[in-house]
Amino acid sequence: MTTDDLSPTNLLIHHSRRDDPSLDDALVLTFNHDLAFFEREALGLLQLTGARITVLGDARVARHDLYAVQRAGTSYLPGLAASRGAFHPKLVALIGPGDATVSIGSGNLTLAGWRGNDELWSVHSAWREGGSVVPSQVGDFLMQLPEFVRLVEPVAASLQRAAAGLQRFVGIEDTGRLVSSLLQPIIDQLPTGPVDELLLYAPF
């Protein structure tokens, strides 16, 4: 994808312009989130795909304007994750019948996180014949997630369905690798070297 597609909004616009934009599931994971912004910015584009739409954020920081949020629970499934620490993944997963795309980044589902801030997004696609290994690794992550955070049953079921959808696209390109802190610290999972040069981008 081109760099113009790296923001979540542009990713959704790009997908909606495909000859066949149909999706089985669309999933957004975030820490802080503004559902009114989501409804204005992304919901219409996702509805064009026919996807079952789920948005999951951290229960401790959820503060929604009940007058501004109009379609939660009817047009999409809103969920809250409760854990001992912060629920902090930022992820968009678009899962179709023949391919899947995941975008992993640093931006929360807010106007600042998706539009205003300097954020980092990494986009990975896979299909039945190839593509990146990252979408299937995201599927593995989602499959484990209900063991580590508390979710209501419909949201847990949605995560499991999305996980199974992503795991169908195994991929063959290993230029990227997903790591998470579910089982051990991320730093312990990074390559040990030798390293000639380390590039680090920390937008937060």
Side-chain angles (χ1 to χ4, degrees):
M1 292 189 174
T2 66
T3 54
D4 291 340
D5 296 323
L6 292 184
S7 76
T9 300
N10 285 339
L11 176 66
L12 297 181
I13 292 172
H14 175 86
H15 185 88
S16 71
R17 292 174 176 169
R18 291 171 49 163
D19 292 338
D20 180 9
S22 59
L23 293 171
D24 297 324
D25 284 277
L27 175 67
V28 180
L29 301 187
T30 181
F31 173 59
N32 186 26
H33 56 308
D34 180 347
L35 291 182
F37 167 76
F38 171 75
E39 292 183 6
R40 293 192 309 270
E41 185 84 357
L43 182 58
L45 291 169
L46 288 173
Q47 286 183 307
L48 290 174
T49 69
R52 293 163 293 197
I53 305 165
T54 303
V55 177
L56 180 60
D58 191 300
R60 295 185 184 183
V61 297
R63 302 288 185 274
H64 300 302
D65 183 343
L66 297 180
Y67 293 99
V69 178
Q70 302 288 322
R71 306 176 76 178
T74 56
S75 297
Y76 63 98
L77 176 63
L80 297 174
S83 65
R84 289 180 295 178
F87 180 77
H88 216 257
K90 283 85 175 215
L91 165 75
V92 178
L94 306 177
I95 307 159
D99 67 312
T101 297
V102 296
S103 180
I104 303 165
S106 60
N108 287 308
L109 180 52
T110 62
L111 176 62
W114 276 29
R115 280 181 173 253
N117 293 345
D118 185 19
E119 306 286 359
L120 179 67
W121 293 95
S122 177
V123 179
H124 308 268
S125 296
W127 48 94
R128 296 190 187 281
E129 298 80 17
S132 171
V133 300
V134 173
S136 66
Q137 293 173 350
V138 171
D140 297 340
F141 167 77
L142 294 176
M143 196 65 76
Q144 297 178 73
L145 198 52
E147 301 176 21
F148 295 90
V149 298
R150 295 192 301 277
L151 305 165
V152 296
E153 180 55 36
V155 175
S158 179
L159 286 186
Q160 298 292 289
R161 188 180 62 242
L166 288 168
Q167 289 173 329
R168 289 184 292 131
F169 307 107
V170 177
I172 57 175
E173 300 170 8
D174 59 355
T175 53
R177 180 166 64 98
L178 179 75
V179 294
S180 80
S181 57
L182 286 183
L183 299 174
Q184 59 181 311
I186 288 176
I187 195 169
D188 293 340
Q189 302 171 64
L190 300 182
T192 56
V195 176
D196 296 321
E197 183 178 19
L198 172 65
L199 302 179
L200 174 65
Y201 179 62
F204 186 67

